[in-house]
């Protein structure tokens, strides 16, 4: 015989008017009930939104997939946004091309491609379109860094 207590749970059957019509009884182990209650509470928990990333006059709202440079809205593709968000989360830290390929594109091996350089170029064009100073800097032989 198990030392685990069994708990009787009533599942109420509701009418369209919201009134209870009766119930069905079933035996449930208390460990299963605890897990079910915890899962139900976790499903109710409001979604946590990430704060807006701010680097200098650059504001990145990851939850809304929006980017602003000063008062100007900057339209970015998904990859451009992912790359800029990665650089912003690591602002002031030089990230190598291979690290960016891993973080943004999911490549975890050395690839002979200039895709990072191309997308950095796209970002620079869009971020500097209003005559603003450069934010994404190249560290020769190492990688790229976002500085305010």
């Amino acid at each position: 015989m198990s030392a685990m207590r069994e708990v009787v749970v009533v599942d109420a059957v509701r009418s369209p008017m919201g009134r209870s019509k009766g119930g069905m009884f079933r035996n449930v182990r208390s460990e299963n009930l605890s897990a079910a209650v915890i899962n139900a509470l976790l499903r109710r928990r409001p979604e946590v939104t990430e704060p807006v990333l701010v680097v200098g006059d650059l504001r990145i709202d990851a939850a809304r997939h929006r980017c602003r440079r000063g008062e100007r809205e900057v339209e970015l593709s998904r990859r451009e946004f992912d790359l800029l968000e990665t650089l912003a989360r690591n602002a002031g830290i030089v990230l190598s091309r291979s690290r960016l390929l891993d973080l943004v594109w999911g490549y975890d091996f050395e690839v002979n491609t200039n895709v990072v350089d191309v997308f950095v170029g796209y970002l620079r064009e869009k971020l500097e379109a209003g005559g603003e100073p450069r934010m994404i800097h190249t560290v020769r032989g190492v990688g790229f860094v976002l500085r305010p």
Side-chain angles (χ1 to χ4, degrees):
M1 179 157 238
S2 171
M4 184 65 60
R5 283 190 346 220
E6 291 197 3
V7 179
V8 175
V9 178
V10 177
D11 290 332
V13 178
R14 300 224 177 248
S15 71
M17 301 295 289
R19 285 179 253 142
S20 181
K21 289 177 123 179
M24 297 172 35
F25 294 89
R26 66 176 185 217
N27 289 332
V28 178
R29 290 186 179 270
S30 61
E31 66 185 13
N32 293 342
L33 180 63
S34 297
V37 169
I38 290 170
N39 286 334
L41 290 173
L42 288 174
R43 283 192 302 270
R44 279 194 214 167
R45 189 174 59 181
E47 187 176 311
V48 177
T49 58
E50 296 180 10
V52 175
L53 295 170
V54 179
V55 180
D57 65 345
L58 181 68
R59 298 177 54 83
I60 301 169
D61 186 346
R64 292 183 179 86
H65 201 274
R66 300 185 81 178
C67 175
R68 297 187 72 78
R69 179 85 195 257
E71 295 300 314
R72 183 173 57 87
E73 184 83 21
V74 180
E75 295 292 324
L76 300 173
S77 71
R78 183 176 64 90
R79 286 287 190 218
E80 291 167 344
F81 188 87
D82 292 346
L83 177 58
L84 184 59
E85 181 184 13
T86 300
L87 289 167
R89 289 190 186 282
N90 297 282
I93 300 170
V94 180
L95 297 174
S96 68
R97 287 169 177 81
S98 61
R99 182 74 177 134
L100 288 168
L101 279 170
D102 181 30
L103 293 171
V104 178
W105 283 269
Y107 299 147
D108 58 352
F109 52 90
E110 192 63 37
V111 179
N112 291 331
T113 180
N114 67 342
V115 69
V116 176
D117 298 76
V118 170
F119 275 83
V120 165
Y122 294 156
L123 281 176
R124 283 178 175 158
E125 284 177 21
K126 292 179 179 186
L127 292 176
E128 299 167 15
E132 298 93 346
R134 179 161 287 181
M135 291 189 77
I136 302 174
H137 301 275
T138 303
V139 178
R140 196 172 287 269
V142 182
F144 299 98
V145 62
L146 183 70
R147 293 189 186 119

